[in-house]
């Protein structure tokens, strides 16, 4: 994501008059602080750094070698099944597959990584393969954003280092700009996406047929994300500068200009998604994570690469807004662009981990250290950074696709501080990757960081970014065959040379149509900091910032991070939180009245909460009231999840897997509960009959083993009884729907047969077809296959440590909490229309709930079921519980006569209700503003 290297810098540049410094000098001077070491961590010896660097090289060889052996020329490697992922030949994963274009994505994305890791011979071979095998004219719809950063960026990064090697005179002497010609061809294929009135590109394009043609199968989209439209300038401008064809830079600049013009003028923030035709904001929440992240990154880096002052002006304007509204140290929380003092969500996504690295480039080191340390504490708790986590650091979305953003920020903080603490952080990342993600055919993404289960994917960005940043973290200058400081990193970590800033400058460098907000010059004090400014006369500076955050995850129990107003600091009580609310407490009722929230007692004994923002005592109280209602809805969504069983893990522990392959399994509502009893370990054997619906004819084969059974033709409980009677110690039901996978289908619980199932004493788990085939394939190849059935993955066998690269000694495991028993009292969401008043000046928020004691648990009677989103279980006593939320699962009773089970009626999503409320309030506020 951010910059490498640094030039000498004598003093900060606080005035905008000095922004016109040449990019190569101005933007890199901050990293001159690399000579500084903040005491507190012992210096790492050169020998240990070399050892870790060599370990990174071996890990890259393991990932890249398996891709080339088992997947190439496919786009990506599927490391669990040891084969390539080809678009259209695997079950669709939705938008994730838009990165795949049948153009050997991983190879192109890895080109400049090979050079950074000193694998010049392999780089030369890889370039020859790209030129010989890659076709950019495929009839496939791809993401404009992903194709730009991965493929166009990969080709340009490869070209940049190919000409560097050619100049050195040893390698690539035959090279004649072939990669650049491919990049130009691809650039022209992407240009039709910009055929909109706004200049914002369509989100997708057909590589062969372009946009709108019937055979293109795209061009009907109306929305795109801000990052998707705003992360083009580096690659497109570099293509223009390399080739002299100005059209690419012109189109990318026009898109950036439009986004800047559409920013919310009072807050200077941008939303997540925008209509590409009208310029209206579709999603009006704003943050620094998914959907916006690289837009901010490319504004600053466009100034670095192109030397255009306007990009730095825009970035500093946005950065001031980010630090004013979104930054709540050490957190970065999304807010509403029209109401930036109001948080839009109570969780953060993993993509914001890039932001400390960008702050290093900006020179704002203190908040970079704070946020990075917070993220590191989350990683130490869960081994990886979950895709999303809450403000009290619990898992919100449990996946981790081996994202590199945290490693990136770690590298740049080390470059800026020289603090060996960040080398230890990098060492932890290496250990966790080898211990939990490494599999025989590469590295597998984590499907659930709590159970340690894997997903059959290894994204190309893992090779493009992760190994690059980790190697550079431990490498000394002499370990790299070229000067990394002469290049800028794109968001995909591809390298573009800084000398492009003075090449083919035919584009106007100033957008004279834009108006820039005048900001206090103090906002720009950090434009080009030096060592003295970064660490003012204190060698313990960075450590002093990190120290208060050491226990923020494990040893504290935050009750939700909220914005603290000045009035609270003066002694006033903070606003009432939903988890503390008691309907029988007179003081609470008085606080609700002040926030514009009233209670209506219904005839059936329930209590209805309604908020009228106009009736609040003040605008701050109105905000508190809306926050209270949002929290109440979030809390009310928990009871149903408490009744759900968490996913289980099937871990293959025999040779040659040794625990490295972990499969996500669905639990059963009967039999041995693996969360309360010791795991079950044993060899597997197929039952006969395979469906397990009658007495087994091969009891001697399954005696003392874990029986494999096929789904179908009878109840799950009947299968369990039959294999138990044959002496099996456990059972794995494998889906009979060929091609089904936990990657694309929600897990469900195996329900009983309506009878008493207490007689079933063995554990039963369910695997979809794809995961089950991994075990069946292992049996065919190795005959004896031993597995472990557990609630979460266990550490590998010691045998594996002798055979594989030494791994971490740190066997910290995810903490799993106990389920909170739910109260019998219920809280029902009431249809909004029934309680909403007709007056435009009144914006009620309503929900109804049963009378509650302090310990009551609340849940909605109607709730959207989304298997990809996990939510937190809340203890309304306010006690500190360590219960990570569980993935949404569906309960299914299997019956031969009715294979298609109804899953229940659809309901309006809570997010949709909140969005409606927020839009009403925003409209009312805008009306008030217009009247004034």
């Amino acid at each position: 994501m951010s910059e490498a290297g640094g030039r000498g810098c004598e003093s900060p540049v606080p005035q905008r008059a000095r922004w016109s410094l040449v990019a190569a000098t101005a933007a890199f001077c901050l990293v001159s602080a690399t000579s500084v070491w903040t005491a507190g961590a012992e210096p790492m010896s050169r020998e240990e750094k070399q050892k870790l660097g060599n370990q990174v090289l071996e890990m890259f060889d393991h990932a890249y070698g398996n891709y080339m052996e088992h997947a190439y020329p496919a786009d990506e490697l599927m490391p669990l099944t040891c084969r390539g992922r080809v678009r259209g030949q695997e079950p669709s994963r939705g938008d994730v597959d838009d990165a795949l274009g049948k153009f050997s994505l991983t190879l192109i994305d890895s080109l400049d990584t090979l050079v950074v890791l000193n694998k010049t011979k392999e780089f030369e071979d890889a370039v020859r393969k790209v030129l010989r095998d890659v076709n950019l004219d495929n009839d496939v719809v791809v993401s404009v954003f992903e194709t730009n950063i991965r493929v166009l960026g990969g080709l340009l990064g490869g070209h940049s280092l190919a000409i560097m090697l050619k100049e050195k005179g040893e390698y690539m002497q035959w090279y004649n700009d072939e990669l650049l010609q491919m990049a130009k061809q691809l650039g022209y294929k992407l240009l039709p996406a910009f055929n909109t009135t706004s200049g914002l590109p369509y989100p997708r394009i057909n590589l062969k047929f372009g946009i709108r043609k019937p055979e293109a199968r795209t061009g009907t989209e109306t929305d795109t994300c801000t990052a998707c439209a705003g992360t083009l300038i580096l690659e497109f401008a570099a293509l223009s500068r390399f080739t002299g064809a100005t059209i690419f830079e012109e189109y990318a600049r026009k898109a950036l200009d439009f986004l800047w013009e559409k920013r919310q003028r009072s807050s200077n923030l941008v939303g997540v998604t925008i209509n590409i035709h009208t310029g209206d904001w579709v999603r009006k929440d704003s943050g620094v994570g998914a959907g916006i992240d690289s837009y901010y990154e490319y504004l600053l880096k466009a100034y670095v690469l192109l030397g255009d002052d306007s990009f730095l002006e825009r970035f500093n304007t946005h950065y001031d807004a980010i630090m004013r509204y979104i930054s709540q140290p050490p957190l970065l929380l999304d807010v509403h662009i029209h109401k930036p003092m109001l948080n839009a969500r109570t969780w953060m996504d993993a993509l914001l981990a890039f932001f400390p690295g960008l702050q290093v480039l900006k020179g704002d080191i203190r908040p970079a250290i704070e946020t990075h340390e917070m993220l590191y504490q989350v990683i130490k708790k869960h081994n990886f950074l979950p895709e999303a986590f809450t403000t009290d650091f619990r898992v919100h979305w449990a996946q981790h696709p081996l994202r590199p953003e945290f490693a990136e920020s770690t590298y740049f903080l080390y470059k800026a501080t020289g603090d060996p603490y960040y080398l230890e952080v990098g060492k932890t990342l290496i250990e966790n990757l080898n211990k939990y993600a490494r599999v025989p055919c590469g590295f597998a993404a984590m499907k659930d960081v709590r159970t340690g289960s894997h997903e059959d994917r290894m994204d190309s960005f893992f090779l493009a970014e992760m190994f690059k940043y980790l190697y550079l973290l431990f490498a000394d200058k002499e370990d790299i065959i070229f000067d990394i400081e002469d290049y800028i990193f794109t968001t995909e970590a591809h390298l573009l040379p800084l000398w492009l800033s003075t090449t083919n400058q035919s584009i106007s460098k100033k957008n004279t149509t834009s108006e820039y907000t005048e900001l206090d010059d103090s906002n720009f004090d950090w434009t080009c900091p030096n060592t003295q400014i970064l660490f003012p006369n204190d060698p313990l500076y960075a450590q002093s910032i990190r120290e208060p955050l050491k226990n923020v995850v494990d040893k504290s129990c935050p009750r939700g991070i909220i914005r603290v107003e000045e009035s609270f600091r003066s002694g006033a009580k903070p606003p009432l939180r939903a988890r503390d609310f008691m309907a029988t407490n007179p003081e609470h009722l008085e606080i609700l009245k002040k926030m514009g929230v009233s209670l209506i007692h219904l005839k059936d004994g329930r209590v209805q909460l309604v908020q009228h923002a106009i009736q609040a005592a003040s605008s701050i109280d109105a905000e508190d009231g809306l926050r209270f209602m949002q929290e109440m809805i979030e809390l009310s969504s928990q009871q149903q999840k408490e009744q759900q069983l968490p996913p289980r893990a099937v871990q293959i522990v025999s040779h040659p897997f040794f625990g490295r392959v972990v499969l996500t399994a669905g639990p059963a509502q009967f039999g041995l509960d693996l969360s309360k009893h010791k795991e079950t370990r044993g060899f597997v054997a197929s039952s006969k009959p395979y469906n397990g619906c009658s007495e087994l004819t091969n009891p001697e084969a399954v005696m003392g083993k874990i029986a494999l059974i096929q789904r179908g033709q009878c109840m799950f409980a009947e299968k369990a009884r039959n294999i138990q009677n044959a002496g099996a110690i456990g059972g794995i039901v494998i889906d009979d729907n060929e091609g089904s996978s936990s990657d694309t289908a929600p897990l469900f619980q195996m329900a009983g047969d309506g009878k008493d199932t207490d007689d079933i004493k063995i554990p039963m788990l369910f695997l979809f077809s794809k995961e089950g085939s991994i075990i069946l394939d292992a049996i065919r190849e190795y005959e004896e296959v031993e597995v472990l059935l557990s609630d979460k993955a266990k550490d590998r066998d010691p045998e594996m440590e002798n055979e594989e690269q030494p791994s971490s000694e740190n066997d910290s495991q995810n903490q799993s909490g106990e389920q909170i028993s739910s109260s019998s009292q219920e809280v029902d969401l009431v249809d909004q229309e029934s309680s909403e008043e007709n007056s435009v000046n009144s914006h009620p928020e309503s929900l109804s709930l049963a009378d509650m004691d302090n310990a009551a648990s609340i849940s909605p009677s109607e709730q959207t079921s989304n298997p990809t989103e996990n939510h937190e279980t809340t203890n309304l006593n306010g006690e500190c519980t360590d219960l990570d939320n569980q993935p949404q699962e569906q309960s299914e009773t299997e019956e031969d006569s009715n294979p298609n089970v109804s899953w229940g009626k659809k309901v309006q999503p809570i997010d949709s209700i909140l969005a409606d409320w927020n839009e009403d309030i925003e409209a009312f506020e805008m009306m008030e503003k217009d009247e004034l």
Side-chain angles (χ1 to χ4, degrees), residues 21 36 42 196 208 234 250 334 343 420 440 458 489-490 493 546 560 589 603 619 622 655 707 738 789 804 890:
L21 291 172
V36 175
E42 289 298 322
T196 61
K208 189 176 184 69
L234 291 189
E250 290 170 355
D334 286 14
N343 290 336
M458 187 178 78
F489 283 109
T490 70
R546 290 194 301 263
L589 299 180
K603 293 181 180 180
S619 60
H655 172 83
E738 187 175 353
L789 311 184
E804 291 292 319
Q890 296 171 328

Side-chain angles (χ1 to χ4, degrees), residues 24-162:
T25 306
F28 285 90
C29 56
L30 69 92
V31 204
S32 62
T34 49
S35 60
V36 175
W37 166 49
T38 53
E42 289 298 322
M44 184 175 286
S45 68
R46 175 158 175 77
E47 290 73 21
E48 185 173 3
K49 287 176 64 178
Q50 285 182 331
K51 180 181 177 182
L52 290 167
N54 290 334
Q55 196 169 354
V56 173
L57 292 176
E58 186 279 331
M59 294 165 66
F60 174 82
D61 288 341
H62 180 66
Y64 181 75
N66 275 287
Y67 165 74
M68 295 305 296
E69 179 181 353
H70 298 292
Y72 181 79
D75 283 316
E76 290 180 343
L77 169 69
M78 300 172 68
L80 297 183
T81 51
C82 298
R83 57 196 173 97
R85 183 181 296 280
V86 179
R87 188 91 172 262
Q89 294 183 12
E90 302 293 334
S92 173
R93 300 176 299 169
D95 292 347
V96 176
D97 284 338
D98 287 344
L100 310 180
K102 298 181 179 179
F103 35 38
S104 301
L105 176 63
T106 298
L107 181 63
I108 293 177
D109 224 0
S110 303
L111 286 177
D112 51 6
T113 303
L114 289 165
V115 182
V116 172
L117 273 55
N118 297 337
K119 297 181 180 294
T120 48
K121 180 63 170 64
E122 291 89 339
F123 171 73
E124 191 160 3
D125 292 341
V127 172
R128 292 184 187 277
K129 284 186 172 67
V130 169
L131 300 179
R132 182 191 69 202
D133 300 337
V134 172
N135 177 21
L136 298 175
D137 196 41
N138 299 310
D139 179 12
V140 59
V141 176
V142 296
S143 161
V144 173
F145 167 76
E146 297 289 356
T147 304
N148 172 64
I149 66 171
R150 300 202 205 189
V151 185
L152 183 58
L155 292 171
L156 292 172
H159 170 70
S160 300
L161 298 188

Side-chain angles (χ1 to χ4, degrees), residues 688-736:
K688 292 183 181 180
Y690 190 27
N691 59 33
C693 290
S694 59
E695 183 179 347
L696 266 58
T697 59
N698 64 334
E700 68 289 345
V702 300
M703 174 74 70
K705 296 182 179 180
I706 296 172
L708 301 179
I709 329 156
Q710 188 177 47
R711 177 186 181 185
Q713 300 185 31
C714 65
M715 299 288 190
F716 290 119
E718 184 178 348
K719 297 175 188 287
R721 291 189 180 97
N722 287 330
I723 62 171
Q724 179 176 273
N725 293 338
I729 60 173
I732 298 175
V733 179
I734 299 176
D735 193 9
D736 60 345

Side-chain angles (χ1 to χ4, degrees), residues 838-859:
N838 292 328
S839 171
V840 72
N841 293 328
S842 179
H843 303 276
E845 329 296 350
S846 71
L847 72 124
S848 54
L849 55 158
D851 269 327
M852 297 179 292
D853 292 330
N854 189 34
S857 181
I858 58 179
S859 73

Side-chain angles (χ1 to χ4, degrees), residues 107-374:
L107 181 63
I108 293 177
D109 224 0
S110 303
L111 286 177
D112 51 6
T113 303
L114 289 165
V115 182
V116 172
L117 273 55
N118 297 337
K119 297 181 180 294
T120 48
K121 180 63 170 64
E122 291 89 339
F123 171 73
E124 191 160 3
D125 292 341
V127 172
R128 292 184 187 277
K129 284 186 172 67
V130 169
L131 300 179
R132 182 191 69 202
D133 300 337
V134 172
N135 177 21
L136 298 175
D137 196 41
N138 299 310
D139 179 12
V140 59
V141 176
V142 296
S143 161
V144 173
F145 167 76
E146 297 289 356
T147 304
N148 172 64
I149 66 171
R150 300 202 205 189
V151 185
L152 183 58
L155 292 171
L156 292 172
H159 170 70
S160 300
L161 298 188
I163 58 177
M164 178 274 298
L165 290 173
K166 184 176 182 179
E167 288 175 1
K168 286 181 175 290
E170 184 177 356
Y171 293 96
M172 304 298 294
Q173 296 306 298
W174 55 270
Y175 182 71
N176 193 28
D177 295 349
E178 289 88 350
L179 290 177
L180 180 59
Q181 296 309 311
M182 289 186 68
K184 188 175 181 180
Q185 177 192 358
L186 180 60
Y188 279 118
K189 286 184 172 293
L190 295 179
L191 284 184
F194 292 84
N195 188 20
T196 61
T197 54
S198 67
L200 298 179
Y202 282 95
R204 298 174 186 85
I205 194 167
N206 187 298
L207 289 175
K208 189 176 184 69
F209 298 109
I211 294 285
R212 291 184 178 173
K213 296 178 183 178
E215 58 268 35
R217 306 185 304 283
T218 189
T220 59
E221 302 93 341
T222 58
D223 306 335
T224 192
C225 72
T226 300
C228 300
T231 311
L232 299 159
I233 187 65
L234 291 189
E235 292 84 1
F236 272 49
L239 184 57
S240 287
R241 302 296 176 96
F242 272 129
T243 64
T246 62
I247 187 171
F248 304 109
E249 186 172 343
E250 290 170 355
Y251 275 48
R253 280 177 177 264
K254 183 179 179 183
L256 272 181
D257 290 346
F258 190 82
L259 289 173
W260 171 252
E261 292 296 332
K262 289 300 179 179
R263 74 193 186 282
Q264 211 290 320
R265 297 304 177 100
S266 62
S267 66
N268 281 319
L269 295 172
V270 292
V272 175
T273 55
I274 189 171
N275 187 295
I276 60 177
H277 302 296
T278 67
D280 295 332
W281 291 110
V282 179
R283 275 188 55 188
K284 301 175 184 178
D285 46 318
S286 183
V288 297
I292 303 179
D293 48 1
S294 49
Y295 162 69
Y296 294 133
E297 175 188 354
Y298 270 37
L299 283 178
L300 183 54
K301 290 185 177 181
Y303 166 68
V304 175
L305 185 64
L306 307 178
D308 188 336
D309 295 353
S310 67
F311 292 127
L312 183 59
E313 291 183 62
R314 296 179 192 183
F315 173 79
N316 279 323
T317 301
H318 284 313
Y319 188 77
D320 177 78
I322 291 168
M323 300 309 291
R324 188 185 305 270
Y325 304 120
I326 295 171
S327 176
Q328 301 177 41
L331 308 181
L332 293 162
L333 291 176
D334 286 14
V335 299
H336 299 278
I337 59 175
H338 293 292
K339 198 71 174 177
M341 297 301 291
L342 184 65
N343 290 336
R345 57 170 69 152
T346 58
W347 49 270
M348 295 162 281
D349 65 74
L351 286 170
L352 62 77
F354 91 100
F355 198 66
L358 187 62
Q359 289 178 306
V360 169
L361 176 60
K362 163 71 175 170
D364 203 357
I365 301 296
R366 182 185 184 92
I369 293 172
E370 290 175 333
T371 299
H372 179 276
E373 183 62 25
M374 177 271 292

